[in-house]
Every structure is written in C-alpha cells, then in structure tokens.
Amino acid sequence: MSTTTDSASRHPLSALRNALGSGSDDAAGRKNLQLLIQLRWIAMFGQFATILVVHFGLGVALPVFNMLIVLFGLLLFNALSMLRLRVRRPIGNTELFLSLLVDVGTLTMLLFLSGGATNPFVFLFLLQVILGAVLLEAWSTWVILIVTSLCFGWLAWYGHPLPMPLDHSKGLFSLYIEGMLICFVLNGGLLVIFINRINRNKRQRDERLAELRQRAAEEEHIVRMGLLASGAAHELGTPLATLSVILGDWKHMAPFKNDPDMAQEIAEMQTQVLRCKSIVSGILLSAGETRGEASEETTVREFLDALVEEWRDTRPVKDFIYMNDFGADLRIVSDDALKQSIHNVLDNALEASPNWVRLDVHREDDTLLISVTDRGPGFPEDMLDSIGRPYQSTKGRPGSGLGLFLVMNVLRTLGGNLRARNLVQGGALVTLSLPLNTVTLEQE
C-alpha cells in the first residue's frame, strides 16, 4: 500500500527554492538545448540549400559529396541531442559548451571544403560566439571565442580559395558580395529567432517566480492565521466547558425540566456547544498534526457521502441536491483539510442562497471534480478575475473573504485548483478539481 503524495514537495516555499536553485537551472538547460537543436535544423537546411544553389545554380565547383557527409554527421549529432532531452538528467553548462564546439567544428570543416577564410560564410563564426555569450558561463564563452579565432586562422593558413573571379566592384552582382549578403541575412535571422526565444523563456520564468513568491506569501499568511486560530481554540476551550456544565445543570432543574419548550431549547444549546467543542478540537488537531498522520482509509464515495451527511445535518439548508456520478469507487486516504474546504464552499453557497444548494461529483480521467451550485446573486466580475485571493468577498464585513482563499491554498497543496463562474440563469458555480493520485491508495 502506498501513502499519499508528499504535499511538502509541492509547497510553494519549496517550489520557490527549487525554481531559484537546481530545478530552474535544469529547466533552463533543457530549453537552451532545445533551442540549439532547432537552430541546428535551420542551419543544416540552409547549408544544404546553399551547397546545391552554389554548385548547381552558380556553377561553382564544390566537393559536394564530402560536404554532405559532414552535414550527415551533424544530423546524427542533432538526433542524439533530441534523444538526450528525453533523459531526466540535468543539462548543464558543459553539455551546451560541447554542443557549440561540435557546431564550430562542423562549420570549420564545411568552410575548409568551400574556400576557407575566403568563403563569405566565415562570418557565421560570429553567430557561435554570440550564442556562447548568451547561453554559457563566462569561461566557456571565452573558450568559444578562442576556438573560433583559431579556426579562422587555420582556414586562412591552410584553406584553398575557390576559383571565383575577383569582381567585388560589381556590387550586388558580385558572387562574393551576394554570399556576404546571404550570410548577413542568415546571421541576423537566426539571432532574431534565438534572442526572441530567450526573452520569452525569461519572461515565463519571471512570471513563474512571481507566482511562486505570491503563493509563498499567501502560505506565510495562512501560517499566521493558523497560529491565531490555534491560540483562539485554546482560549475558547475553558468557556465552552463551563457552558457545557451549566447547561447540564439547567437540564435537571425543575423550572426547565417541567417546561418542554425550555427543555428543547436547552437540548439545542447543548448540541451547538458540542459542535463548537468539536470545531475547537478540529482546529487543535490540524495545528498539532501534519497531514496524513491522523488520516484513515476510506473510498471516494464513502468520504463524500459522510461529508455531505454531516454538513446537511448541521446546517439549516432547505432544499439540498446531492448527485454523486463518480463512477467506479476508489480507495483513498481521508483528508480533513479537503473535507473542511468542501464544507467551506458549501457554507458560502448556503449563505448566498439559503433556499437551494446543489453538489455534483463526477470524474474526468484521473481528476475528481466537485461542483457547488447556488441561486444567489453570483460573483462580481472583478472578483472572478482574482478568485482565491485573500479578503476578496461580497459580504462587506471586515476580515471576510478568507474562505475561498484557504480552499484555494489547500487545493494547490494537493495539486488541484478552484474555478468559479456565474451562471446565465443566475447564481454561481464553483468547481474544485483534485488529482486522484494525491489521495488514492494502490488498488489491490
């Protein structure tokens, strides 16, 4: 039997540390390697087309067979790089550095076979240096610069110029000038594509970090509220015990015992005191125990049926509809935080719509969906955009608006989410989604 997924691994503070640490480095390394692979495909296509155009279209003799062998080797290397992306091992600076060295070596061989340093495409070395400056650590970038400079010098010393006329004075009608123009457009185009991708990745990373910081601040807010609630629960324990004793004494006194109406009211008061004591005990239990230590084995249907029965028996609801279309039952570990979250959403719906509340349960693939519908006034449009934020409420009371905020954070801890929308016919629909693998036990 497996236990539930460790919620601490999804805690925003842990996620923030991972995003700022090795987790973020690995994600960035994978994206950078993926960009290099994409650029390499573009470069190979451009080089292949250039070889064919120059050799067959312009009539410049090139060792096409040898150049195609070099391109085929680069193609195999790119295919291996794609397979490397599937391996769940961190991609660091060294791998990106070696990938760029392979690109530099391939470009050097192609230039050696097609005119050496006199080939106008020799300026593609500059692209490799710029990529290194963007992607690599400082020492790696300097090594790339030194290697490309040595390769340029080697091509100038050992390269054999192509038999081309010295017609630079013809401007754009010169083959060399045309080659330089194509090289410039290719360099510029690849840099624009690459830099835009890098900037997009940085924006996505910054947005993710901002979201994690916001969630970490919300978690800190919840911790403070938990400490306050725990202290209040301790303080309420004594007066509740006193009230329980007094009501017990009143129940046996003649003036109350002989009056059926008074006896019924005292019994109702005792019931509410017991409920208050149960709530206080639940607060202390939640504050003193981590999730899962006091959990029990149950099923989805049993958990939800008991939850609904308890809520219906303790709330003054008039017309309540409960539909459970979950399907085949699953063994799960009960979760008090999830139970309280569903109660909270139901309480909000009951307050907005005292005469009618509906709860629907169904399954969508591996996700549990719990929908609560009411016939109240619905949510303001501006609140729908910030649902789950603290102190966002339609009640207009100081300190209100924490219910959905707490529900949202419980669901996030479990890997779920909360959505809300207004209905055309009036009322609101709040949907809680929860991945079943966070609470499901292994089936026998």
Short mmCIF file of all heavy atoms in Angstrom, two decimals, residues 60-125:
data_model
loop_
_atom_site.label_atom_id
_atom_site.label_comp_id
_atom_site.label_asym_id
_atom_site.label_seq_id
_atom_site.Cartn_x
_atom_site.Cartn_y
_atom_site.Cartn_z
N VAL A 60 29.75 26.97 -59.36
CA VAL A 60 30.99 26.98 -58.60
C VAL A 60 31.28 25.55 -58.15
O VAL A 60 30.46 24.93 -57.46
CB VAL A 60 30.90 27.92 -57.39
CG1 VAL A 60 32.21 27.89 -56.59
CG2 VAL A 60 30.59 29.35 -57.85
N ALA A 61 32.43 25.02 -58.51
CA ALA A 61 32.76 23.62 -58.20
C ALA A 61 33.00 23.44 -56.71
O ALA A 61 33.86 24.10 -56.11
CB ALA A 61 34.00 23.20 -58.99
N LEU A 62 32.24 22.56 -56.08
CA LEU A 62 32.37 22.25 -54.66
C LEU A 62 32.48 20.74 -54.48
O LEU A 62 31.89 19.97 -55.24
CB LEU A 62 31.15 22.75 -53.87
CG LEU A 62 30.91 24.27 -53.79
CD1 LEU A 62 29.60 24.55 -53.07
CD2 LEU A 62 32.06 24.95 -53.06
N PRO A 63 33.20 20.29 -53.44
CA PRO A 63 33.23 18.85 -53.12
C PRO A 63 31.92 18.46 -52.42
O PRO A 63 31.88 18.27 -51.19
CB PRO A 63 34.45 18.71 -52.22
CG PRO A 63 34.60 20.04 -51.57
CD PRO A 63 34.12 21.05 -52.57
N VAL A 64 30.87 18.34 -53.21
CA VAL A 64 29.52 18.17 -52.65
C VAL A 64 29.44 16.92 -51.79
O VAL A 64 28.85 16.93 -50.70
CB VAL A 64 28.48 18.12 -53.78
CG1 VAL A 64 27.09 17.84 -53.22
CG2 VAL A 64 28.49 19.43 -54.56
N PHE A 65 30.02 15.82 -52.24
CA PHE A 65 29.91 14.55 -51.52
C PHE A 65 30.51 14.69 -50.11
O PHE A 65 29.89 14.29 -49.11
CB PHE A 65 30.61 13.44 -52.30
CG PHE A 65 30.53 12.11 -51.61
CD1 PHE A 65 29.36 11.37 -51.61
CD2 PHE A 65 31.65 11.59 -50.94
CE1 PHE A 65 29.30 10.14 -50.95
CE2 PHE A 65 31.59 10.37 -50.30
CZ PHE A 65 30.41 9.64 -50.30
N ASN A 66 31.71 15.24 -50.04
CA ASN A 66 32.36 15.40 -48.72
C ASN A 66 31.57 16.35 -47.81
O ASN A 66 31.45 16.11 -46.61
CB ASN A 66 33.79 15.93 -48.91
CG ASN A 66 34.69 14.91 -49.59
OD1 ASN A 66 34.45 13.70 -49.52
ND2 ASN A 66 35.73 15.38 -50.26
N MET A 67 31.03 17.41 -48.39
CA MET A 67 30.26 18.36 -47.58
C MET A 67 28.97 17.72 -47.07
O MET A 67 28.53 17.98 -45.93
CB MET A 67 29.96 19.62 -48.39
CG MET A 67 31.22 20.38 -48.84
SD MET A 67 30.86 21.88 -49.77
CE MET A 67 30.30 22.97 -48.48
N LEU A 68 28.34 16.88 -47.90
CA LEU A 68 27.12 16.19 -47.45
C LEU A 68 27.43 15.19 -46.35
O LEU A 68 26.60 14.96 -45.46
CB LEU A 68 26.45 15.50 -48.64
CG LEU A 68 25.84 16.43 -49.69
CD1 LEU A 68 25.20 15.62 -50.81
CD2 LEU A 68 24.81 17.38 -49.06
N ILE A 69 28.61 14.59 -46.37
CA ILE A 69 29.00 13.68 -45.29
C ILE A 69 29.10 14.45 -43.97
O ILE A 69 28.65 13.98 -42.92
CB ILE A 69 30.33 12.98 -45.63
CG1 ILE A 69 30.13 11.98 -46.77
CG2 ILE A 69 30.89 12.27 -44.39
CD1 ILE A 69 31.42 11.29 -47.20
N VAL A 70 29.70 15.64 -44.03
CA VAL A 70 29.81 16.47 -42.82
C VAL A 70 28.42 16.83 -42.30
O VAL A 70 28.14 16.76 -41.09
CB VAL A 70 30.63 17.74 -43.10
CG1 VAL A 70 30.64 18.65 -41.88
CG2 VAL A 70 32.07 17.37 -43.49
N LEU A 71 27.52 17.23 -43.22
CA LEU A 71 26.15 17.56 -42.82
C LEU A 71 25.42 16.35 -42.24
O LEU A 71 24.64 16.48 -41.28
CB LEU A 71 25.37 18.13 -44.01
CG LEU A 71 25.68 19.57 -44.41
CD1 LEU A 71 24.82 19.99 -45.59
CD2 LEU A 71 25.43 20.52 -43.23
N PHE A 72 25.67 15.18 -42.80
CA PHE A 72 25.04 13.97 -42.27
C PHE A 72 25.52 13.68 -40.85
O PHE A 72 24.73 13.27 -39.99
CB PHE A 72 25.36 12.78 -43.18
CG PHE A 72 24.71 11.49 -42.74
CD1 PHE A 72 23.34 11.29 -42.88
CD2 PHE A 72 25.47 10.48 -42.15
CE1 PHE A 72 22.75 10.11 -42.47
CE2 PHE A 72 24.88 9.31 -41.73
CZ PHE A 72 23.50 9.12 -41.89
N GLY A 73 26.81 13.90 -40.59
CA GLY A 73 27.32 13.73 -39.23
C GLY A 73 26.66 14.69 -38.26
O GLY A 73 26.32 14.34 -37.12
N LEU A 74 26.44 15.96 -38.72
CA LEU A 74 25.76 16.93 -37.87
C LEU A 74 24.31 16.52 -37.63
O LEU A 74 23.76 16.72 -36.53
CB LEU A 74 25.83 18.32 -38.52
CG LEU A 74 25.28 19.48 -37.68
CD1 LEU A 74 26.06 19.62 -36.37
CD2 LEU A 74 25.33 20.78 -38.46
N LEU A 75 23.69 15.93 -38.64
CA LEU A 75 22.31 15.46 -38.49
C LEU A 75 22.23 14.36 -37.43
O LEU A 75 21.32 14.36 -36.59
CB LEU A 75 21.80 14.95 -39.84
CG LEU A 75 20.33 14.52 -39.92
CD1 LEU A 75 19.76 14.82 -41.31
CD2 LEU A 75 20.16 13.02 -39.64
N LEU A 76 23.20 13.42 -37.45
CA LEU A 76 23.20 12.36 -36.44
C LEU A 76 23.40 12.94 -35.05
O LEU A 76 22.77 12.51 -34.08
CB LEU A 76 24.31 11.35 -36.76
CG LEU A 76 24.11 10.47 -38.00
CD1 LEU A 76 25.31 9.54 -38.18
CD2 LEU A 76 22.82 9.66 -37.89
N PHE A 77 24.30 13.92 -34.95
CA PHE A 77 24.53 14.54 -33.65
C PHE A 77 23.26 15.23 -33.14
O PHE A 77 22.94 15.18 -31.95
CB PHE A 77 25.68 15.55 -33.76
CG PHE A 77 25.94 16.29 -32.47
CD1 PHE A 77 26.62 15.67 -31.42
CD2 PHE A 77 25.51 17.60 -32.30
CE1 PHE A 77 26.86 16.35 -30.23
CE2 PHE A 77 25.75 18.28 -31.13
CZ PHE A 77 26.42 17.65 -30.09
N ASN A 78 22.53 15.89 -34.03
CA ASN A 78 21.30 16.56 -33.62
C ASN A 78 20.24 15.55 -33.19
O ASN A 78 19.47 15.80 -32.24
CB ASN A 78 20.77 17.42 -34.77
CG ASN A 78 20.17 18.71 -34.29
OD1 ASN A 78 20.56 19.24 -33.25
ND2 ASN A 78 19.19 19.23 -35.02
N ALA A 79 20.19 14.41 -33.87
CA ALA A 79 19.24 13.37 -33.47
C ALA A 79 19.59 12.83 -32.08
O ALA A 79 18.70 12.59 -31.25
CB ALA A 79 19.25 12.24 -34.49
N LEU A 80 20.89 12.65 -31.80
CA LEU A 80 21.31 12.21 -30.47
C LEU A 80 20.97 13.26 -29.41
O LEU A 80 20.61 12.93 -28.28
CB LEU A 80 22.81 11.91 -30.46
CG LEU A 80 23.26 10.70 -31.27
CD1 LEU A 80 24.80 10.59 -31.27
CD2 LEU A 80 22.65 9.42 -30.71
N SER A 81 21.09 14.54 -29.80
CA SER A 81 20.74 15.60 -28.86
C SER A 81 19.25 15.57 -28.51
O SER A 81 18.86 15.83 -27.37
CB SER A 81 21.10 16.96 -29.45
OG SER A 81 22.50 17.06 -29.68
N MET A 82 18.41 15.23 -29.49
CA MET A 82 16.98 15.11 -29.23
C MET A 82 16.70 13.95 -28.28
O MET A 82 15.84 14.05 -27.39
CB MET A 82 16.22 14.92 -30.54
CG MET A 82 16.28 16.12 -31.46
SD MET A 82 15.38 15.86 -33.01
CE MET A 82 13.69 15.73 -32.40
N LEU A 83 17.43 12.85 -28.44
CA LEU A 83 17.27 11.74 -27.51
C LEU A 83 17.74 12.13 -26.11
O LEU A 83 17.19 11.68 -25.10
CB LEU A 83 18.05 10.52 -28.01
CG LEU A 83 17.54 9.87 -29.31
CD1 LEU A 83 18.47 8.73 -29.72
CD2 LEU A 83 16.12 9.35 -29.12
N ARG A 84 18.78 12.97 -26.06
CA ARG A 84 19.29 13.42 -24.75
C ARG A 84 18.23 14.20 -23.97
O ARG A 84 18.18 14.14 -22.74
CB ARG A 84 20.54 14.28 -24.98
CG ARG A 84 21.04 15.00 -23.74
CD ARG A 84 21.48 14.02 -22.66
NE ARG A 84 21.89 14.72 -21.46
CZ ARG A 84 21.08 15.04 -20.45
NH1 ARG A 84 19.79 14.72 -20.53
NH2 ARG A 84 21.54 15.65 -19.38
N LEU A 85 17.37 14.92 -24.67
CA LEU A 85 16.34 15.68 -23.99
C LEU A 85 15.38 14.79 -23.23
O LEU A 85 14.75 15.21 -22.26
CB LEU A 85 15.55 16.52 -25.01
CG LEU A 85 16.21 17.80 -25.51
CD1 LEU A 85 15.35 18.45 -26.57
CD2 LEU A 85 16.47 18.77 -24.37
N ARG A 86 15.24 13.53 -23.67
CA ARG A 86 14.30 12.61 -23.00
C ARG A 86 14.88 12.02 -21.73
O ARG A 86 14.15 11.44 -20.93
CB ARG A 86 13.91 11.48 -23.95
CG ARG A 86 13.22 11.98 -25.23
CD ARG A 86 12.78 10.81 -26.09
NE ARG A 86 12.11 11.26 -27.30
CZ ARG A 86 11.58 10.44 -28.21
NH1 ARG A 86 11.67 9.13 -28.03
NH2 ARG A 86 10.99 10.93 -29.28
N VAL A 87 16.18 12.15 -21.54
CA VAL A 87 16.82 11.61 -20.34
C VAL A 87 16.65 12.61 -19.20
O VAL A 87 16.97 13.79 -19.35
CB VAL A 87 18.32 11.34 -20.59
CG1 VAL A 87 18.99 10.79 -19.32
CG2 VAL A 87 18.49 10.36 -21.74
N ARG A 88 16.15 12.13 -18.06
CA ARG A 88 15.89 13.02 -16.92
C ARG A 88 17.15 13.26 -16.11
O ARG A 88 17.21 12.98 -14.92
CB ARG A 88 14.80 12.42 -16.04
CG ARG A 88 13.45 12.36 -16.70
CD ARG A 88 12.39 11.92 -15.73
NE ARG A 88 11.06 11.92 -16.33
CZ ARG A 88 9.95 11.60 -15.68
NH1 ARG A 88 10.03 11.26 -14.39
NH2 ARG A 88 8.79 11.61 -16.29
N ARG A 89 18.15 13.78 -16.75
CA ARG A 89 19.39 14.14 -16.09
C ARG A 89 19.65 15.61 -16.37
O ARG A 89 19.42 16.07 -17.49
CB ARG A 89 20.54 13.29 -16.61
CG ARG A 89 21.81 13.38 -15.76
CD ARG A 89 22.88 12.49 -16.35
NE ARG A 89 23.30 12.94 -17.67
CZ ARG A 89 24.12 12.28 -18.46
NH1 ARG A 89 24.58 11.12 -18.08
NH2 ARG A 89 24.45 12.75 -19.65
N PRO A 90 20.08 16.36 -15.37
CA PRO A 90 20.26 17.81 -15.57
C PRO A 90 21.18 18.12 -16.73
O PRO A 90 22.18 17.43 -16.96
CB PRO A 90 20.86 18.28 -14.23
CG PRO A 90 20.42 17.26 -13.23
CD PRO A 90 20.37 15.95 -13.97
N ILE A 91 20.83 19.15 -17.48
CA ILE A 91 21.64 19.61 -18.60
C ILE A 91 22.34 20.89 -18.15
O ILE A 91 21.69 21.91 -17.91
CB ILE A 91 20.76 19.88 -19.83
CG1 ILE A 91 20.09 18.58 -20.29
CG2 ILE A 91 21.60 20.47 -20.96
CD1 ILE A 91 19.12 18.76 -21.43
N GLY A 92 23.64 20.79 -18.04
CA GLY A 92 24.39 21.92 -17.51
C GLY A 92 25.19 22.65 -18.56
O GLY A 92 25.07 22.43 -19.78
N ASN A 93 26.07 23.51 -18.10
CA ASN A 93 26.89 24.34 -18.97
C ASN A 93 27.81 23.51 -19.85
O ASN A 93 28.05 23.83 -21.01
CB ASN A 93 27.69 25.32 -18.11
CG ASN A 93 28.61 26.19 -18.93
OD1 ASN A 93 28.18 27.15 -19.53
ND2 ASN A 93 29.90 25.85 -18.95
N THR A 94 28.34 22.40 -19.29
CA THR A 94 29.31 21.59 -20.03
C THR A 94 28.71 21.01 -21.30
O THR A 94 29.33 21.03 -22.37
CB THR A 94 29.85 20.47 -19.14
OG1 THR A 94 30.44 21.03 -17.96
CG2 THR A 94 30.89 19.64 -19.88
N GLU A 95 27.49 20.47 -21.20
CA GLU A 95 26.86 19.87 -22.38
C GLU A 95 26.56 20.92 -23.44
O GLU A 95 26.76 20.67 -24.65
CB GLU A 95 25.57 19.16 -21.96
CG GLU A 95 25.81 17.87 -21.20
CD GLU A 95 24.53 17.06 -21.06
OE1 GLU A 95 23.91 16.73 -22.08
OE2 GLU A 95 24.16 16.75 -19.91
N LEU A 96 26.08 22.09 -23.03
CA LEU A 96 25.83 23.15 -24.01
C LEU A 96 27.13 23.61 -24.64
O LEU A 96 27.18 23.89 -25.86
CB LEU A 96 25.12 24.32 -23.32
CG LEU A 96 23.73 24.04 -22.74
CD1 LEU A 96 23.22 25.26 -21.99
CD2 LEU A 96 22.76 23.64 -23.83
N PHE A 97 28.20 23.68 -23.84
CA PHE A 97 29.51 24.08 -24.35
C PHE A 97 30.01 23.08 -25.40
O PHE A 97 30.47 23.48 -26.48
CB PHE A 97 30.48 24.17 -23.17
CG PHE A 97 31.91 24.37 -23.56
CD1 PHE A 97 32.32 25.53 -24.19
CD2 PHE A 97 32.86 23.40 -23.28
CE1 PHE A 97 33.65 25.72 -24.55
CE2 PHE A 97 34.18 23.57 -23.63
CZ PHE A 97 34.58 24.74 -24.27
N LEU A 98 29.90 21.79 -25.12
CA LEU A 98 30.33 20.77 -26.08
C LEU A 98 29.48 20.80 -27.34
O LEU A 98 29.99 20.58 -28.45
CB LEU A 98 30.27 19.39 -25.42
CG LEU A 98 31.26 19.15 -24.27
CD1 LEU A 98 31.04 17.78 -23.66
CD2 LEU A 98 32.71 19.29 -24.75
N SER A 99 28.17 21.08 -27.20
CA SER A 99 27.32 21.17 -28.38
C SER A 99 27.76 22.30 -29.29
O SER A 99 27.81 22.14 -30.52
CB SER A 99 25.86 21.38 -27.94
OG SER A 99 25.37 20.27 -27.23
N LEU A 100 28.08 23.44 -28.69
CA LEU A 100 28.55 24.56 -29.52
C LEU A 100 29.90 24.26 -30.15
O LEU A 100 30.18 24.69 -31.28
CB LEU A 100 28.62 25.82 -28.67
CG LEU A 100 27.29 26.55 -28.43
CD1 LEU A 100 27.49 27.75 -27.52
CD2 LEU A 100 26.66 26.99 -29.74
N LEU A 101 30.77 23.53 -29.43
CA LEU A 101 32.05 23.14 -30.03
C LEU A 101 31.84 22.25 -31.24
O LEU A 101 32.57 22.36 -32.25
CB LEU A 101 32.91 22.43 -28.99
CG LEU A 101 33.59 23.31 -27.93
CD1 LEU A 101 34.45 22.44 -27.00
CD2 LEU A 101 34.45 24.39 -28.59
N VAL A 102 30.86 21.34 -31.18
CA VAL A 102 30.55 20.49 -32.33
C VAL A 102 30.08 21.36 -33.50
O VAL A 102 30.47 21.15 -34.67
CB VAL A 102 29.48 19.45 -31.96
CG1 VAL A 102 28.98 18.71 -33.20
CG2 VAL A 102 30.04 18.44 -30.96
N ASP A 103 29.24 22.36 -33.21
CA ASP A 103 28.79 23.26 -34.28
C ASP A 103 29.95 24.03 -34.89
O ASP A 103 30.02 24.20 -36.12
CB ASP A 103 27.76 24.24 -33.71
CG ASP A 103 26.46 23.56 -33.32
OD1 ASP A 103 26.16 22.50 -33.89
OD2 ASP A 103 25.73 24.10 -32.46
N VAL A 104 30.87 24.50 -34.05
CA VAL A 104 32.04 25.21 -34.56
C VAL A 104 32.90 24.29 -35.42
O VAL A 104 33.37 24.69 -36.51
CB VAL A 104 32.87 25.79 -33.39
CG1 VAL A 104 34.21 26.35 -33.89
CG2 VAL A 104 32.09 26.88 -32.66
N GLY A 105 33.11 23.06 -34.96
CA GLY A 105 33.91 22.11 -35.74
C GLY A 105 33.27 21.78 -37.08
O GLY A 105 33.96 21.70 -38.12
N THR A 106 31.94 21.60 -37.08
CA THR A 106 31.24 21.30 -38.34
C THR A 106 31.34 22.46 -39.31
O THR A 106 31.61 22.28 -40.52
CB THR A 106 29.76 20.98 -38.05
OG1 THR A 106 29.67 19.91 -37.11
CG2 THR A 106 29.03 20.62 -39.32
N LEU A 107 31.13 23.67 -38.81
CA LEU A 107 31.23 24.85 -39.68
C LEU A 107 32.64 25.00 -40.23
O LEU A 107 32.82 25.34 -41.42
CB LEU A 107 30.83 26.09 -38.88
CG LEU A 107 30.94 27.44 -39.61
CD1 LEU A 107 30.03 27.46 -40.83
CD2 LEU A 107 30.60 28.59 -38.67
N THR A 108 33.63 24.71 -39.40
CA THR A 108 35.03 24.81 -39.87
C THR A 108 35.30 23.85 -41.01
O THR A 108 35.94 24.20 -42.02
CB THR A 108 35.99 24.53 -38.70
OG1 THR A 108 35.73 25.46 -37.64
CG2 THR A 108 37.44 24.66 -39.14
N MET A 109 34.80 22.61 -40.89
CA MET A 109 35.02 21.62 -41.96
C MET A 109 34.31 22.02 -43.24
O MET A 109 34.87 21.87 -44.34
CB MET A 109 34.53 20.25 -41.49
CG MET A 109 35.36 19.65 -40.35
SD MET A 109 37.12 19.53 -40.76
CE MET A 109 37.06 18.48 -42.21
N LEU A 110 33.09 22.54 -43.12
CA LEU A 110 32.37 22.96 -44.32
C LEU A 110 33.08 24.13 -45.00
O LEU A 110 33.17 24.19 -46.24
CB LEU A 110 30.94 23.36 -43.95
CG LEU A 110 30.00 22.22 -43.54
CD1 LEU A 110 28.66 22.78 -43.05
CD2 LEU A 110 29.76 21.26 -44.70
N LEU A 111 33.58 25.07 -44.20
CA LEU A 111 34.30 26.21 -44.78
C LEU A 111 35.62 25.76 -45.40
O LEU A 111 36.04 26.28 -46.45
CB LEU A 111 34.56 27.26 -43.70
CG LEU A 111 33.31 27.99 -43.17
CD1 LEU A 111 33.69 28.89 -41.99
CD2 LEU A 111 32.65 28.82 -44.27
N PHE A 112 36.29 24.79 -44.77
CA PHE A 112 37.56 24.28 -45.31
C PHE A 112 37.35 23.66 -46.69
O PHE A 112 38.20 23.79 -47.58
CB PHE A 112 38.16 23.26 -44.36
CG PHE A 112 39.43 22.63 -44.87
CD1 PHE A 112 40.63 23.33 -44.84
CD2 PHE A 112 39.42 21.35 -45.40
CE1 PHE A 112 41.80 22.75 -45.32
CE2 PHE A 112 40.58 20.76 -45.88
CZ PHE A 112 41.77 21.47 -45.84
N LEU A 113 36.18 23.00 -46.86
CA LEU A 113 35.89 22.35 -48.14
C LEU A 113 35.35 23.32 -49.18
O LEU A 113 35.14 22.92 -50.33
CB LEU A 113 34.88 21.22 -47.92
CG LEU A 113 35.35 20.05 -47.06
CD1 LEU A 113 34.19 19.12 -46.74
CD2 LEU A 113 36.47 19.28 -47.78
N SER A 114 35.12 24.58 -48.78
CA SER A 114 34.48 25.51 -49.72
C SER A 114 35.13 26.89 -49.70
O SER A 114 34.45 27.90 -49.63
CB SER A 114 32.99 25.63 -49.40
OG SER A 114 32.80 26.05 -48.05
N GLY A 115 36.46 26.92 -49.71
CA GLY A 115 37.14 28.19 -49.88
C GLY A 115 37.87 28.71 -48.67
O GLY A 115 38.54 29.74 -48.74
N GLY A 116 37.73 28.08 -47.52
CA GLY A 116 38.46 28.50 -46.34
C GLY A 116 38.00 29.87 -45.86
O GLY A 116 36.82 30.21 -45.86
N ALA A 117 38.99 30.71 -45.50
CA ALA A 117 38.68 32.04 -44.96
C ALA A 117 38.13 32.98 -46.03
O ALA A 117 37.57 34.04 -45.70
CB ALA A 117 39.93 32.65 -44.33
N THR A 118 38.27 32.63 -47.31
CA THR A 118 37.72 33.49 -48.37
C THR A 118 36.23 33.26 -48.59
O THR A 118 35.60 34.01 -49.34
CB THR A 118 38.46 33.22 -49.70
OG1 THR A 118 38.25 31.86 -50.09
CG2 THR A 118 39.95 33.47 -49.54
N ASN A 119 35.67 32.22 -47.97
CA ASN A 119 34.24 31.96 -48.08
C ASN A 119 33.48 33.03 -47.28
O ASN A 119 33.76 33.24 -46.09
CB ASN A 119 33.93 30.57 -47.53
CG ASN A 119 32.50 30.13 -47.82
OD1 ASN A 119 31.55 30.90 -47.71
ND2 ASN A 119 32.35 28.87 -48.18
N PRO A 120 32.55 33.73 -47.91
CA PRO A 120 31.84 34.79 -47.17
C PRO A 120 31.06 34.28 -45.95
O PRO A 120 30.76 35.06 -45.04
CB PRO A 120 30.89 35.38 -48.22
CG PRO A 120 30.78 34.33 -49.29
CD PRO A 120 32.09 33.61 -49.30
N PHE A 121 30.77 32.99 -45.92
CA PHE A 121 30.03 32.44 -44.78
C PHE A 121 30.93 32.22 -43.56
O PHE A 121 30.47 31.68 -42.55
CB PHE A 121 29.37 31.12 -45.18
CG PHE A 121 28.18 31.31 -46.08
CD1 PHE A 121 28.33 31.28 -47.46
CD2 PHE A 121 26.92 31.54 -45.56
CE1 PHE A 121 27.24 31.46 -48.30
CE2 PHE A 121 25.82 31.72 -46.40
CZ PHE A 121 25.98 31.69 -47.78
N VAL A 122 32.17 32.65 -43.64
CA VAL A 122 33.06 32.53 -42.50
C VAL A 122 32.57 33.38 -41.32
O VAL A 122 32.91 33.10 -40.16
CB VAL A 122 34.50 32.93 -42.90
CG1 VAL A 122 34.62 34.44 -43.06
CG2 VAL A 122 35.52 32.42 -41.88
N PHE A 123 31.75 34.38 -41.61
CA PHE A 123 31.23 35.23 -40.53
C PHE A 123 30.17 34.52 -39.67
O PHE A 123 29.69 35.09 -38.70
CB PHE A 123 30.67 36.52 -41.13
CG PHE A 123 31.71 37.37 -41.81
CD1 PHE A 123 31.81 37.41 -43.20
CD2 PHE A 123 32.62 38.09 -41.05
CE1 PHE A 123 32.78 38.18 -43.82
CE2 PHE A 123 33.60 38.87 -41.67
CZ PHE A 123 33.69 38.90 -43.05
N LEU A 124 29.80 33.29 -40.07
CA LEU A 124 28.91 32.51 -39.19
C LEU A 124 29.61 32.15 -37.88
O LEU A 124 28.94 31.77 -36.92
CB LEU A 124 28.45 31.24 -39.91
CG LEU A 124 27.40 31.44 -41.02
CD1 LEU A 124 27.12 30.12 -41.72
CD2 LEU A 124 26.11 32.02 -40.45
N PHE A 125 30.95 32.26 -37.84
CA PHE A 125 31.65 32.05 -36.57
C PHE A 125 31.15 33.05 -35.52
O PHE A 125 31.11 32.75 -34.33
CB PHE A 125 33.16 32.23 -36.77
CG PHE A 125 33.84 31.01 -37.31
CD1 PHE A 125 34.75 31.12 -38.36
CD2 PHE A 125 33.60 29.75 -36.77
CE1 PHE A 125 35.39 29.99 -38.86
CE2 PHE A 125 34.24 28.63 -37.27
CZ PHE A 125 35.13 28.74 -38.31
#
